[in-house]
C-alpha cells in the first residue's frame, strides 16, 4: 500500500447514523496509508459504534465529551481542532450539517468544527428526503460557500427497507481518495503547475420540453480522471454532462447539458496543457420544439442534426491547442482498428479505446479495460477500476509532459 498519507494527521468526526459503522473501515483505510487518526464521536454516533472500537483502531482514546475533565486535560478541544491537517466528518448527518452551517457549538464535535481553521471534508449520509429537503440544500450551499469539501452521498439502497435514492454515505475508499486529493503528499505532484481540462458524462439533447436524447454514460471514468489529475497537483477544470456523481473535491466543475454547451465550456476553459475527452457526447441533436409533442398525429419524425465534435474541434485549433490531446473511443467491435482511425481522423495525440458492448459492463460500471493508442504504439492495459485507469493515465501524461 502506497503511504500516500504518511505523516498526515486526520481528525475524524463521526456522526450518528447507520453509516457510522463504515467509519471503522475508514479509520483502517486511512491508517493503511500512513495517516494518524483521532476520533470524535457525537452522542448519537455512540448509539451505533463505541468509543472502544474506534480507540482500538486508532490506537488512541476516542473523544466524546466537551466537559470531560480528563479529555480537556490531555488534549483539549482547541488542540483537537488545531493539531490536525484535515478534519473529516463521516457520516455527516443532516443535524451535524445544520449545526456546522449555523455555527453551533453545543457539544465536542460542533465546538471543534467551529474552533478549527483547517480544511474540512464532509461525507453526508441521510435519508434521501432529508438530503433533498430545502433546509439541507441551504445548509449544503452554505457549507460549500464556507469552503467545506463534500464527498457523496451516493445513490443506492437505504437502510430503511425498500427505500432508494441519493443519501448513502460515500464508500470508505472514495472518502480516502478525497482525503488524498485534499492532502496530496509533498513530492507526489507530477502535474503541479499544469492545467488540465476533462470532459465527462453524457450529453442530453432536448427533443421537446420534457424529452431528450441521451446515452448510458455514467461519467465515472471522466470524474475519476479529474480527481486523479487534481491529486497529482494539476489545476483541473471538469466539464461534466448530467451525471449522478458528486463534484470532485479540489476540481472546478462546470455543469453542462448539451453538446454545444459542452463545447462552449471547454473553449472557455482553454488554454490548457492537457485536454482529456472522456465524455460520451451525443452525436446528434434534433430541432427542439417549444411545445410538448402530442400523440394522435401519427408517428412524429425526428430529424437529426450532427453535433459539433468537441475533441476534433479542439484538436484542430490553430491557437490554444493543448499540448496533449487525449480522446476516448467507445467501440463495440474492431476496437483497436476503429480507434486507430479515430486518433488520426480527430487529430488526437492519444486515444484510449474501450469495448462498450453491453456484456462488458463498462458503460455505467466501475471497471474499465482500455488500450492506449499513441502515434507509434498500442498498449493493452489490464481490466482495472476506473480509478486505477485514471491514475495510470495521469502517470503517463506526467511522464510525457516531463519529456516534452
Ligand atoms: N467526442 C466529442 N464530441 C462529439 C463526439 C465525440 O468530443 N460530438 C469525443 C469523445 O469524447 C471521445 C471521442 O470523441 O473522446 C470519440 O468518441 P466516440 O463516441 O467513440 O466516437 P464518435 O466520434 O462518436 O464516432 P462513432 O460514434 O462513429 O464511433
Amino acid at each position: 500500500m502506497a503511504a500516500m498519507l504518511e505523516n498526515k494527521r486526520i481528525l475524524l468526526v463521526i456522526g450518528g447514523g447507520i453509516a457510522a459503522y463504515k467509519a471503522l473501515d475508514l479509520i483502517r483505510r486511512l491508517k493503511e496509508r500512513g495517516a494518524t487518526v483521532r476520533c470524535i464521536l457525537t452522542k448519537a454516533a455512540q448509539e451505533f459504534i463505541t468509543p472502544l472500537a474506534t480507540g482500538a483502531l486508532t490506537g488512541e482514546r476516542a473523544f466524546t465529551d466537551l466537559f470531560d475533565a480528563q479529555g480537556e486535560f490531555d488534549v483539549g478541544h482547541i488542540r483537537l481542532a488545531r493539531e490536525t491537517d484535515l478534519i473529516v466528518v463521516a457520516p455527516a448527518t443532516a443535524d451535524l450539517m445544520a449545526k456546522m452551517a449555523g455555527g453551533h457549538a453545543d457539544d465536542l464535535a460542533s465546538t471543534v468544527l467551529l474552533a478549527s481553521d483547517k480544511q474540512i471534508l464532509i461525507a453526508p449520509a441521510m435519508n434521501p428526503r432529508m438530503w433533498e429537503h430545502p433546509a439541507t440544500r441551504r445548509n449544503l450551499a452554505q457549507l460549500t460557500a464556507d469552503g467545506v469539501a463534500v464527498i457523496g452521498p451516493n445513490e443506492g439502497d437505504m437502510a430503511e427497507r425498500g427505500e432508494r435514492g441519493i443519501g448513502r454515505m460515500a464508500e470508505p475508499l472514495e472518502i480516502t481518495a478525497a482525503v488524498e486529493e485534499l492532502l496530496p503528499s509533498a513530492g507526489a505532484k507530477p502535474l503541479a503547475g499544469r492545467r488540465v481540462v476533462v470532459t465527462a458524462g453524457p450529453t442530453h439533447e432536448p427533443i421537446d420540453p420534457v424529452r431528450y436524447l441521451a446515452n448510458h454514460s455514467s461519467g465515472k471514468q471522466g470524474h475519476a480522471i479529474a480527481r486523479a489529475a487534481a491529486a497529482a497537483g494539476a489545476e483541473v477544470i471538469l466539464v461534466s454532462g448530467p451525471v449522478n456523481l458528486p463534484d470532485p473535491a479540489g476540481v472546478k466543475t462546470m455543469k453542462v447539458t448539451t453538446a454545444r454547451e459542452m463545447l462552449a465550456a471547454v473553449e472557455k476553459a482553454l488554454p490548457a496543457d492537457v485536454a482529456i475527452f472522456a465524455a460520451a457526447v451525443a452525436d446528434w441533436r434534433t430541432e427542439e420544439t417549444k411545445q410538448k409533442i402530442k400523440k394522435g398525429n401519427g408517428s412524429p419524425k425526428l430529424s437529426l442534426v450532427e453535433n459539433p465534435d468537441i475533441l476534433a474541434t479542439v484538436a484542430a485549433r490553430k491557437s490554444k491547442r493543448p499540448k496533449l490531446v487525449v480522446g476516448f473511443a467507445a467501440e463495440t467491435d474492431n476496437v483497436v482498428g476503429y480507434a486507430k482511425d479515430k486518433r488520426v481522423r480527430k487529430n488526437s495525440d492519444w486515444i484510449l479505446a474501450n469495448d462498450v458492448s453491453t456484456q462488458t459492463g463498462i458503460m455505467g460500471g466501475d471497471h474499465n479495460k482500455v488500450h492506449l493508442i499513441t502515434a507509434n504504439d498500442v498498449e493493452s492495459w489490464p481490466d482495472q477500476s476506473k480509478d486505477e485507469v485514471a491514475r495510470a493515465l495521469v502517470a503517463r501524461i506526467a511522464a510525457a509532459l516531463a519529456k516534452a
Side-chain angles (χ1 to χ4, degrees), residues 293-328:
I293 303 171
K294 302 298 273 181
K295 275 187 299 202
N297 301 324
S299 308
K301 298 269 174 300
L302 292 183
S303 68
L304 299 178
V305 188
E306 198 165 321
N307 264 330
D309 190 307
I310 303 167
L311 162 60
T313 308
V314 171
R317 285 180 71 105
K318 295 264 178 307
S319 72
K320 293 197 203 166
R321 183 193 190 275
K323 286 187 205 76
L324 185 63
V325 172
V326 183
F328 271 74

Side-chain angles (χ1 to χ4, degrees), residues 29-239:
R29 303 295 182 181
L30 293 169
K31 291 202 59 147
E32 269 172 8
R33 287 161 178 74
T36 316
V37 184
R38 261 183 181 163
C39 282
I40 294 178
L41 276 76
T42 65
K43 195 158 179 290
Q46 293 167 63
E47 301 288 336
F48 296 91
I49 56 171
T50 64
L52 192 63
T54 54
L57 288 168
T58 60
E60 192 180 346
R61 61 172 293 212
F63 297 86
T64 52
D65 286 312
L66 185 54
F67 302 112
D68 165 17
Q70 188 61 40
E72 279 301 292
F73 181 73
D74 289 349
V75 182
H77 65 275
I78 298 297
R79 272 178 61 195
L80 270 179
R82 303 275 161 81
E83 288 179 2
T84 184
D85 296 306
L86 178 78
I87 303 185
V88 180
V89 186
T93 58
D95 181 60
L96 253 177
M97 284 175 63
K99 279 183 169 169
M100 289 173 72
H104 292 231
D106 62 353
D107 62 1
L108 183 62
S110 52
T111 304
V112 165
L113 286 161
L114 191 64
S116 180
D117 57 359
K118 303 293 177 187
Q119 171 76 59
I120 300 174
L121 169 71
I122 62 171
M126 65 196 73
N127 175 278
R129 299 247 168 89
M130 293 168 80
W131 176 246
E132 274 151 29
H133 194 283
T136 307
R137 312 312 306 167
R138 270 198 310 277
N139 292 334
L140 179 68
Q142 185 61 57
L143 290 171
T144 312
D146 292 346
V148 170
V150 186
I151 174 84
N154 293 340
E155 191 178 3
D157 292 326
M158 294 291 122
E160 296 87 353
R161 265 181 76 156
E163 282 222 41
R164 251 190 95 76
I166 298 181
R168 278 173 70 93
M169 188 170 86
E171 295 303 322
L173 281 177
E174 292 176 294
I175 301 175
T176 311
V179 168
E180 284 171 354
E181 274 146 32
L182 290 167
L183 288 177
S185 44
K189 291 185 189 169
L191 290 184
R194 306 289 190 177
R195 199 171 145 95
V196 176
V197 178
V198 183
T199 70
T203 62
H204 286 181
E205 309 295 332
I207 297 171
D208 69 12
V210 296
R211 305 179 177 97
Y212 57 83
L213 296 173
N215 58 62
H216 289 302
S217 167
S218 64
K220 285 177 188 166
Q221 186 62 79
H223 278 238
I225 292 169
R227 287 197 302 269
E235 176 193 358
V236 182
I237 299 104
L238 171 65
V239 182

Side-chain angles (χ1 to χ4, degrees), residues 277-279 281 283 308-311 327-331 342 346:
F277 297 90
V281 183
D283 289 324
D309 190 307
I310 303 167
L311 162 60
F328 271 74
E331 310 291 349
K342 225 170 246 180
K346 299 201 184 198

Side-chain angles (χ1 to χ4, degrees), residues 254-279:
M254 300 170 80
K255 291 183 180 148
V256 297
T257 307
T258 66
R260 285 180 294 175
E261 286 168 14
M262 189 174 271
L263 174 60
V266 168
E267 299 211 298
K268 205 165 151 213
L270 297 178
D273 297 286
V274 185
I276 304 162
F277 297 90

